[in-house]
Amino acid sequence: MTDRGNAATRSGNAAERDGTTVEIAFALLTGALLGTLVVLALSAPVLLGRAHGHAAAVWWTTATVTGCTTGLARVVSVLWRYDRRRRLSRAIPAAPAPTRRPARRVGHDPGPRA
């Protein structure tokens, strides 16, 4: 015998876990891509051969630190936004179902109401 109430709860929790997993993957992917783009953009002088020696090391270090920081900031902001949306959706109660009025019959006069 299956308890359908628990099954519904489990499927809701499973859907929430799946949504969280997707959101984490999205945050990590976009953070990695953004960080990589920042590193490439900031290390362009080194990649194009315009900086040599100590200047190249400074460019690489600056690009790497800035890219990692930007990627991490992206991950944190996406996950904070997701958590905020998730908490708000739990805090707002579902609207009650509208009550249905009985259909009026055409041509039928129920008389005065007391």
Side-chain angles (χ1 to χ4, degrees):
M1 185 178 225
T2 304
D3 184 7
R4 293 185 187 269
N6 286 339
T9 303
R10 277 195 306 270
S11 66
N13 288 339
E16 187 173 318
R17 280 194 313 269
D18 289 346
T20 301
T21 302
V22 168
E23 200 68 29
I24 290 170
F26 173 75
L28 290 173
L29 180 67
T30 58
L33 287 174
L34 183 63
T36 302
L37 288 174
V38 168
V39 169
L40 289 174
L42 292 179
S43 64
V46 177
L47 295 174
L48 296 174
R50 303 282 186 221
H52 303 286
H54 182 67
V58 170
W59 276 108
W60 274 115
T61 304
T62 303
T64 303
V65 169
T66 306
C68 289
T69 304
T70 304
L72 184 62
R74 171 67 181 171
V75 170
V76 169
S77 70
V78 167
L79 293 179
W80 269 346
R81 224 177 348 171
Y82 171 72
D83 186 51
R84 193 174 332 127
R85 280 192 320 250
R86 186 180 57 82
R87 287 178 189 223
L88 283 176
S89 69
R90 283 184 174 180
I92 299 172
T99 56
R100 265 187 89 179
R101 290 183 167 172
R104 289 184 60 193
R105 289 190 242 167
V106 177
H108 175 70
D109 184 18
R113 292 188 181 175

